Amino acid sequence: MYLNCHSYHSLRYGTIPLEDLIAQAVELNISAMALTDINTVTGIYEFIKECKKVNIKPLVGIEFRDNNQLKYIGLATQFKGVGEMNRFRTKHNFEQTLLPSKAPNFENVICIYPIDSIPETLAENEYIGITSEQLIKLYDAQLKAKISKMVILQPVTFRTKKEFNLHKILRAIDNNILLSKLTESDYCSTSEVMISEKELLEKFSDYPEIIENTLKVIDSCNVEFEFETPRNKKYYTNSEESDIALLTNLAKQGLKWRYGDYNSQALQRVEKELKVINELKFSGYFLMTWDIIRYSNSCGFLHIGRGSGANSIVSYCLGITDICPIELDLYFERFLNVNRKSPPDFDIDWSWKERDTILEYIFNRYGAEHVAFCGTNVEFKYRSIFREVGKVFGLPKEELDVLAKNPMSLHDGNKIVKLVQEYGMLLEKYPNQRSMHSCGIIISEEPITNFSVLEMPPKGFPIVLFDMHVAEDIGFEKFDILSQRGIGHIDDTVKLIEKNRGIKVNIRDTSISKNEALANSYLSIGKTIGCFYIESPAMRGLLRRLKCNDYITLVAASSIIRPGVAQSGMMKEYIFRHNNPDKFEYFHDVFKEQLGETYGIMVYQEDVIKIALHYGGLPAADGDILRRAMSGKGRSKAALQKVKDHFFECCKAKGHPEKLSTEIYRQIESFAGYSFCKAHSASYAVESYQSLYLKVYYPIEFMVAVINNQGGFYRTEVYIHEAKMSGGNINNPCVNNSNFETTLYGIEIYLGFMHLEGLESRIAQFIVKERETNGNYLSLEDFINRVPIGIESIQTLIFIGAFRFTGQSKNQLLVKARLIMVNFKPEDRSWTLLQQPIKEYTLPVLQRSDYEDAFDEIELLGFPVSCSPFDLLQTKFRGDVLAKDLLKYHKKTVRMLAYLISRKQVPTKMGTMYFGTWIDAEGAFFDTAHFADCLKKYPFQGGGCYLLLGQVEVDFHFPTITITKMAKMPFIADPRYSNSSDREFKTQQNLKEDVSSTQRQPYPQEHEINLPRLKMN
């Protein structure tokens, strides 16, 4: 009897989670109900599935609203009706037009109008909804005459009084107003709750015709949906046969390209894979991916195919991936097997600058009606909850900041804050707004509006209103079209090398970079700043601990750094066994046979599967449950628990000792969490090698490319430092030599205007465009005449030294700029001024300290360029020890002077600690550890130079200083403010640091890992 129910997918309106809505209906013995969320079908698929499980007849539709005004409710009589409503709502979404007051002529949809908005005429499929409170209106003769078209309307929006209050809070958030400013038209009626059918029918007992009409509507709505049917585009060509023929031909061509004229092992594997691909009808999926790659290559773009797709030799032969599965013993079944019903999932990365071009091609190639991004629900999160809820209660920004940034235990205990906390916690995990999935694209056989309303976000690509999990559930597999800055680093470096040195580097040929000798030497000492995936302090420390100097070890390192492996303690054990291969035994032969490459340690998702299958003898179906538990589609110990009992039964049947089986399952269970499949790690390793090769042989070009791709793990300053250490000469922005991005001429690096605080992007772009069109700027006067710029922006450019080509000092230029700008009128700006002789000004000679430039740079760039931060210190002391000598000081106390690069907050059982990364006076990197007790006395005080005292600990070739004391060192007084004592020491506060944190559980200590190193019988 419920034709109008809202779940919390009615964003900022409904308060009931979908499963709770259905549970309430079961409790009240409801036999039929409709989900009609506002302007969306987000929840209908889960609703249909869950209602069928509990024998409730599901009706699905949309409540159409504009500006919170209810226009009408649509209910699909069959699934085609969902598509009709989707297309109608999508059209108005795209055109940004208001809905008409009368619904269109739907063919498979019943429309219900609110009683206060009835059209003059009603079609056969149109009704009037009336609530029990509105029955009194039937005393009006005109309304009473329409009873034959009336149905029961008992909207459901909330469950309890508290949820009604929550609904009002959501409405205030949506309207961006105070709770006290809401009017009755902003929120729902207090009666919009679910009651029993018996109670509802009693309210309408005097109007049997309305009840009969309602039952008639329910009977008319019979939506069936087949969840198992694949929905992706079926064929790349026009038939299955021609797809198979084309794929086979392309694979054979690629086989020759990758392996030469004859390689029996590769040929056998290609034929085996093609047979499975054919059987599973996935040829079209492979070909569509190949087509995208073909287009990318034609544009000269670099891509990285990664993920489990790299297990496929067909993918390798098609050029989708660059990982040879034979070389790494990657098995195809991890990617695709006859038991798998859903299509494979390729993850492909492009440079963030080129990804949109790829997306445009996909949308154009396969048609706007058939392509869309997956949606995602952006939930109310801790910070946003307290900001949003606190705002509607009228709290000022300062209090909102305190609530958002601090745990609840530190919040004020006043009445308002308690209300914010109470209702805020109710909102946790509620969807707040819909957004675009970062990379997932659906290419559909049918028009996508058959399944979802589409929205057009500012990005310009349409999105469906359900997420990737629902997409998979209803038969779609997404294409992951990703972007990352790492590929931008590689791509731009290659272009810079050709432009700057005239050398063409074929970085696509991974044989030149993978396992290259000098690159390996850099790898083993962690000299990898700027290189994708291997530049973080944690990763560089791991590389040094492993003395990682080959591809296979890098592949393993790429996975053991992941939280699942590290958290289980297997990272520490791997490091030990790698460095001490003669100090452990494989505690069962299966581990030696299956995991010999990783010293019997489970490092990859496949390792867990191998042990479960080869030791436990689990069937393939349970193996797939394990795989999914290790992957993003089911990361949880709960998924592993499902096969636990069966595992022990199988082990007992095979005669394994219970103690051994218990230990093995303990390892499997501890591994449940974030981890990589081996192919994924291999893909990352190949890309890391490409970056590293370019850094080793073309370091200046590489670092400029990193800077122009807006860095990676660290801030821009760190990459500029690395460019300088690589032999580059760093120059401040110059109006005649700089572009918006950083520019390279030989070894001369000119910082881009994009790095200047206070210079508008629009002005920066104009400076470059004007110079390219009409030549270099001849003087300050010439610049002012040609560029529409105000005095503040001119001063910024003067202070950074952008007019140093004039030969005049900054002070002279500042005076001249003000003299020119006093009487300068923008309308006088023209080329005629250039023909006139430039007026000479007699300028006073003003003395300027050498350090003023450095302080200007700190203020405008965030770091000094003309000197080192160490040069600005009051002290001349540079420490007793340098980073290059730390390995000699194991267990000894050292004093070092260092500049702070980054710090990472991590939890431990003793409290919060930090890991710091620094550079010494020679520019070399080193690392520190700061425990909770030390931090209480000697906390970090922002960016800058510190004096450090601590004990050196060398852990497998990697030195770390455990800090016992530290103090921030003061700079000299800023000479620009010599007459202002309160500002002399403020500029150094502009120095930055990179701060990150993690909420993971503390890593186990060595004695807690308890991984057996002896054979178990």
Side-chain angles (χ1 to χ4, degrees):
M1 305 303 287
Y2 286 88
L3 305 182
N4 184 209
C5 296
H6 305 109
S7 75
Y8 64 7
H9 290 301
S10 291
L11 300 181
R12 300 184 177 188
Y13 193 95
T15 65
I16 312 174
L18 204 53
E19 59 185 25
D20 292 357
L21 180 67
I22 296 168
Q24 186 179 23
V26 171
E27 190 178 330
L28 293 172
N29 296 315
I30 306 300
S31 58
M33 63 188 296
L35 182 68
T36 52
D37 279 317
I38 297 170
N39 293 330
T40 186
V41 292
T42 303
I44 66 168
Y45 299 103
E46 184 185 351
F47 179 76
I48 291 170
K49 186 178 277 189
E50 296 305 314
C51 280
K52 291 289 181 70
K53 289 180 183 177
V54 293
N55 295 317
I56 292 176
K57 180 176 182 179
L59 284 68
V60 296
I62 296 175
E63 179 175 298
F64 293 96
R65 283 183 181 244
D66 268 334
N67 300 322
N68 198 40
Q69 181 185 357
L70 172 60
K71 299 286 189 175
Y72 25 80
I73 298 157
L75 295 172
T77 57
Q78 53 182 314
F79 193 75
K80 286 181 181 178
V82 173
E84 290 182 62
M85 289 185 282
N86 289 341
R87 280 183 281 281
F88 172 62
R89 181 68 258 185
T90 297
K91 178 177 182 292
H92 288 281
N93 285 346
F94 283 16
E95 295 174 355
Q96 296 185 329
T97 53
L98 295 176
L99 297 168
S101 56
K102 190 175 191 313
N105 296 321
F106 290 128
E107 293 181 11
N108 299 283
V109 177
I110 289 172
C111 283
I112 302 170
Y113 292 90
I115 199 165
D116 54 0
S117 184
I118 306 169
E120 290 184 13
T121 58
L122 291 169
E124 186 180 347
N125 66 326
E126 294 183 322
Y127 292 86
I128 303 163
I130 185 167
T131 67
S132 56
E133 292 84 1
Q134 293 168 338
L135 289 173
I136 194 169
K137 292 186 177 183
L138 296 183
Y139 288 108
D140 182 304
Q142 285 184 320
L143 277 178
K144 193 169 184 179
K146 297 179 180 179
I147 283 181
S148 62
K149 295 293 285 182
M150 289 186 182
V151 294
I152 297 172
L153 193 63
Q154 176 63 30
V156 177
T157 302
F158 62 94
R159 288 172 290 182
T160 62
K161 182 179 179 181
K162 180 173 276 190
E163 277 194 7
F164 178 67
N165 293 337
L166 185 65
H167 163 75
K168 292 175 73 175
I169 289 169
L170 285 169
R171 298 306 304 132
I173 290 172
D174 192 50
N175 286 295
N176 196 26
I177 58 175
L178 293 173
L179 194 59
S180 58
K181 298 293 184 182
L182 284 175
T183 63
E184 284 191 14
S185 62
D186 292 322
Y187 54 86
C188 73
S189 163
T190 55
S191 64
E192 292 193 12
V193 294
M194 189 178 286
I195 56 180
S196 69
E197 284 190 3
K198 181 181 177 183
E199 188 179 347
L200 183 58
L201 290 174
E202 282 177 0
K203 292 176 181 286
F204 286 86
S205 58
D206 293 337
Y207 301 95
E209 193 172 3
I210 296 177
I211 295 173
E212 188 178 330
N213 289 342
T214 307
L215 292 171
K216 180 181 173 184
V217 167
I218 291 171
D219 288 342
S220 300
C221 295
N222 297 289
V223 171
E224 296 292 334
F225 186 81
E226 181 52 62
F227 285 89
E228 301 300 320
T229 303
R231 310 283 174 187
N232 280 49
K233 182 173 172 58
K234 290 181 180 178
Y235 312 125
Y236 173 72
T237 57
N238 53 14
S239 71
E240 185 179 340
E241 292 73 21
S242 56
D243 272 5
I244 293 167
L246 178 57
L247 182 62
T248 302
N249 185 39
L250 291 171
K252 295 291 175 67
Q253 289 177 25
L255 181 66
K256 186 174 181 179
W257 164 51
R258 293 291 198 184
Y259 295 98
D261 288 334
Y262 189 75
N263 183 312
S264 59
Q265 185 184 9
L267 175 62
Q268 187 179 3
R269 176 148 176 170
V270 165
E271 289 175 342
K272 171 191 167 186
E273 288 193 14
L274 286 172
K275 184 173 181 293
V276 175
I277 294 167
N278 181 11
E279 285 178 13
L280 296 175
K281 304 183 187 302
F282 291 150
S283 298
Y285 192 91
F286 273 78
L287 287 170
M288 282 185 275
T289 308
W290 163 80
D291 176 64
I292 295 167
I293 299 303
R294 179 178 63 167
Y295 174 74
S296 172
N297 291 340
S298 74
C299 296
F301 295 167
L302 180 68
H303 78 277
I304 302 289
R306 57 178 175 83
S308 60
N311 287 272
S312 165
I313 197 169
V314 171
S315 303
Y316 183 53
C317 291
L318 294 179
I320 296 170
T321 65
D322 280 314
I323 306 298
C324 172
I326 295 175
E327 177 188 9
L328 287 175
D329 190 28
L330 305 176
Y331 57 105
F332 180 60
E333 290 75 14
R334 165 62 184 85
F335 176 54
L336 206 57
N337 59 72
V338 292
N339 297 313
R340 181 169 182 161
K341 295 179 180 179
S342 58
D345 192 0
F346 286 111
D347 296 338
I348 307 173
D349 291 312
W350 278 271
S351 164
W352 61 284
K353 296 178 180 179
E354 295 166 348
R355 177 175 178 252
D356 280 0
T357 304
I358 299 297
L359 293 175
E360 286 168 8
Y361 172 75
I362 294 170
F363 277 85
N364 292 333
R365 172 70 175 79
Y366 296 101
E369 289 189 354
H370 297 269
V371 187
F373 265 92
C374 272
T376 183
N377 281 323
V378 179
E379 297 174 341
F380 282 100
K381 299 280 173 53
Y382 187 89
R383 289 193 172 204
S384 67
I385 285 173
F386 288 118
R387 288 196 188 283
E388 298 274 24
V389 178
K391 200 190 313 180
V392 303
F393 275 99
L395 295 180
K397 182 183 181 302
E398 296 74 22
E399 286 191 50
L400 296 179
D401 289 341
V402 171
L403 294 181
K405 293 177 182 178
N406 291 291
M408 287 174 60
S409 59
L410 297 180
H411 289 181
D412 195 307
N414 66 57
K415 183 179 177 182
I416 297 297
V417 169
K418 284 184 177 178
L419 282 173
V420 172
Q421 291 175 338
E422 180 182 358
Y423 285 101
M425 287 303 94
L426 289 177
L427 281 182
E428 202 165 25
K429 299 297 182 183
Y430 273 44
N432 180 19
Q433 55 193 0
R434 279 183 290 272
S435 184
M436 178 189 288
H437 188 278
S438 60
C439 60
I441 288 178
I442 292 169
I443 303 178
S444 174
E445 178 70 18
E446 302 174 42
I448 285 196
T449 48
N450 283 3
F451 306 97
S452 174
V453 175
L454 301 179
E455 288 182 352
M456 186 70 78
K459 184 76 175 175
F461 296 108
I463 62 170
V464 298
L465 302 192
F466 47 71
D467 64 21
M468 57 180 281
H469 302 293
V470 173
E472 183 182 351
D473 205 31
I474 65 176
F476 287 111
E477 280 293 322
K478 62 184 177 14
F479 291 75
D480 282 337
I481 308 298
L482 303 108
S483 68
Q484 48 148 288
R485 298 192 185 279
I487 296 177
H489 300 167
I490 296 168
D491 206 21
D492 284 3
T493 303
V494 170
K495 292 170 184 173
L496 263 176
I497 293 166
E498 185 172 2
K499 180 181 177 183
N500 198 46
R501 302 198 194 193
I503 298 172
K504 289 189 175 183
V505 178
N506 182 15
I507 201 65
R508 294 171 186 271
D509 179 5
T510 57
S511 65
I512 68 171
S513 59
K514 194 170 66 177
N515 272 339
E516 196 278 333
L518 191 54
N520 279 341
S521 69
Y522 273 51
L523 197 62
S524 66
I525 58 173
K527 195 173 180 181
T528 54
I529 297 289
C531 298
F532 170 76
Y533 202 71
I534 55 172
E535 68 163 335
S536 71
M539 193 65 185
R540 289 187 298 107
L542 176 60
L543 295 174
R544 291 183 69 177
R545 287 182 175 95
L546 295 173
K547 277 198 173 179
C548 178
N549 63 355
D550 60 46
Y551 175 53
I552 295 297
T553 307
L554 181 57
V555 172
S558 298
S559 189
I560 65 175
I561 197 74
R562 298 284 291 169
V565 192
Q567 195 65 55
S568 68
M570 293 182 191
M571 178 173 76
K572 283 181 179 285
E573 186 63 18
Y574 181 93
I575 294 168
F576 173 84
R577 295 187 181 193
H578 179 79
N579 283 281
N580 301 283
D582 57 342
K583 291 185 179 179
F584 75 95
E585 297 175 353
Y586 293 95
F587 60 93
H588 190 277
D589 288 343
V590 166
F591 282 74
K592 187 172 185 178
E593 293 162 9
Q594 300 297 327
L595 308 182
E597 187 183 280
T598 56
Y599 315 106
I601 302 293
M602 284 183 277
V603 167
Y604 312 110
Q605 293 169 13
E606 291 92 334
D607 295 343
V608 177
I609 301 169
K610 285 178 182 178
I611 297 305
L613 297 181
H614 293 96
Y615 174 83
L618 288 180
D622 280 2
D624 197 51
I625 290 173
L626 285 167
R627 178 192 70 77
R628 292 173 71 82
M630 293 300 109
S631 72
K633 297 186 177 178
R635 252 184 220 124
S636 70
K637 291 185 179 181
L640 293 171
Q641 189 65 35
K642 292 179 181 179
V643 297
K644 185 173 184 177
D645 293 339
H646 197 192
F647 175 83
F648 282 105
E649 287 172 13
C650 292
C651 290
K652 189 174 182 180
K654 293 187 78 171
H656 293 312
E658 185 178 348
K659 183 179 178 182
L660 176 59
S661 300
T662 301
E663 168 57 25
I664 289 171
Y665 197 84
R666 183 191 72 80
Q667 292 180 32
I668 291 174
E669 203 166 34
S670 71
F671 194 76
Y674 291 80
S675 59
F676 277 162
C677 70
K678 189 175 182 181
H680 201 88
S681 291
S683 303
Y684 273 3
V686 167
E687 186 180 347
S688 299
Y689 259 119
Q690 289 174 317
S691 295
L692 185 57
Y693 176 83
L694 295 171
K695 177 183 172 71
V696 168
Y697 287 100
Y698 308 98
I700 300 175
E701 287 84 357
F702 179 72
M703 295 318 305
V704 169
V706 173
I707 292 165
N708 284 339
N709 280 274
Q710 297 169 40
F713 186 87
Y714 305 96
R715 63 189 181 277
T716 300
E717 177 189 1
V718 179
Y719 301 112
I720 291 171
H721 165 77
E722 193 74 355
K724 187 176 182 180
M725 296 292 287
S726 301
N729 294 329
I730 311 300
N731 296 275
N732 280 325
C734 167
V735 295
N736 279 337
N737 290 300
S738 291
N739 293 330
F740 184 71
E741 293 183 331
T742 295
T743 316
L744 179 63
Y745 307 95
I747 63 169
E748 300 297 325
I749 299 171
Y750 282 84
L751 298 181
F753 294 122
M754 65 184 287
H755 302 300
L756 272 179
E757 296 275 349
L759 185 68
E760 287 182 57
S761 173
R762 175 182 58 83
I763 294 294
Q765 301 277 12
F766 188 92
I767 292 169
V768 178
K769 187 177 179 181
E770 167 61 25
R771 185 184 73 218
E772 289 173 347
T773 304
N774 296 311
N776 279 1
Y777 300 102
L778 305 177
S779 62
L780 177 64
E781 294 92 332
D782 179 32
F783 179 85
I784 292 171
N785 186 55
R786 291 163 60 184
V787 179
I789 192 170
I791 186 64
E792 288 187 3
S793 295
I794 291 174
Q795 287 180 169
T796 295
L797 290 168
I798 290 172
F799 281 127
I800 206 61
F803 296 101
R804 55 190 179 276
F805 69 91
T806 63
Q808 294 175 311
S809 71
K810 290 182 181 181
N811 290 336
Q812 289 173 318
L813 289 166
L814 286 167
V815 172
K816 183 180 283 190
R818 289 198 170 273
L819 288 172
I820 294 171
M821 295 297 285
V822 164
N823 298 310
F824 187 82
K825 296 177 182 177
E827 57 268 25
D828 294 337
R829 183 175 279 117
S830 70
W831 272 91
T832 57
L833 185 65
L834 290 177
Q835 311 307 317
Q836 300 172 4
I838 296 169
K839 184 177 179 181
E840 292 295 330
Y841 297 96
T842 302
L843 301 172
V845 177
L846 300 172
Q847 295 301 315
R848 186 174 174 84
S849 162
D850 292 340
Y851 290 119
E852 287 189 55
D853 288 343
F855 281 99
D856 282 342
E857 289 155 4
I858 293 172
E859 204 161 85
L860 296 172
L861 294 169
F863 51 89
V865 173
S866 55
C867 69
S868 158
F870 295 94
D871 297 329
L872 298 175
L873 291 172
Q874 292 180 15
T875 180
K876 300 298 180 185
F877 179 68
R878 293 296 178 263
D880 298 324
V881 176
L882 292 169
K884 63 185 178 184
D885 299 317
L886 284 176
L887 286 173
K888 303 174 187 175
Y889 287 85
H890 181 45
K891 294 295 182 184
K892 294 181 180 177
T893 298
V894 297
R895 238 182 1 157
M896 297 185 72
L897 194 72
Y899 182 63
L900 180 59
I901 297 300
S902 68
R903 57 186 168 106
K904 183 172 185 176
Q905 178 187 14
V906 296
T908 72
K909 292 179 180 178
M910 288 82 76
T912 297
M913 71 170 292
Y914 278 94
F915 289 109
T917 298
W918 312 75
I919 55 172
D920 66 12
E922 289 187 343
F925 289 84
F926 68 94
D927 295 85
T928 57
H930 307 250
F931 288 94
D933 54 348
C934 172
L935 287 166
K936 286 179 183 176
K937 295 180 182 177
Y938 307 104
F940 285 94
Q941 298 179 55
C945 293
Y946 287 72
L947 183 62
L948 307 171
L949 182 73
Q951 182 171 283
V952 178
E953 303 287 345
V954 180
D955 178 36
F956 294 111
H957 330 292
F958 177 61
T960 303
I961 304 173
T962 301
I963 298 301
T964 52
K965 290 183 180 180
M966 72 173 179
K968 189 173 180 181
M969 305 302 285
F971 274 13
I972 59 171
D974 187 341
R976 302 172 307 163
Y977 301 114
S978 55
N979 296 323
S980 177
S981 59
D982 61 328
R983 299 188 68 179
E984 280 185 304
F985 297 98
K986 281 196 172 181
T987 306
Q988 64 177 302
Q989 294 172 11
N990 289 13
L991 292 170
K992 297 179 175 65
E993 55 174 334
D994 294 316
V995 184
S996 58
S997 63
T998 178
Q999 298 303 315
R1000 62 163 173 77
Q1001 291 298 308
Y1003 288 162
Q1005 299 300 302
E1006 188 168 353
H1007 69 276
E1008 297 174 308
I1009 297 169
N1010 199 29
L1011 199 68
R1013 289 178 183 163
L1014 297 175
K1015 188 170 184 176
M1016 295 179 70
N1017 297 314

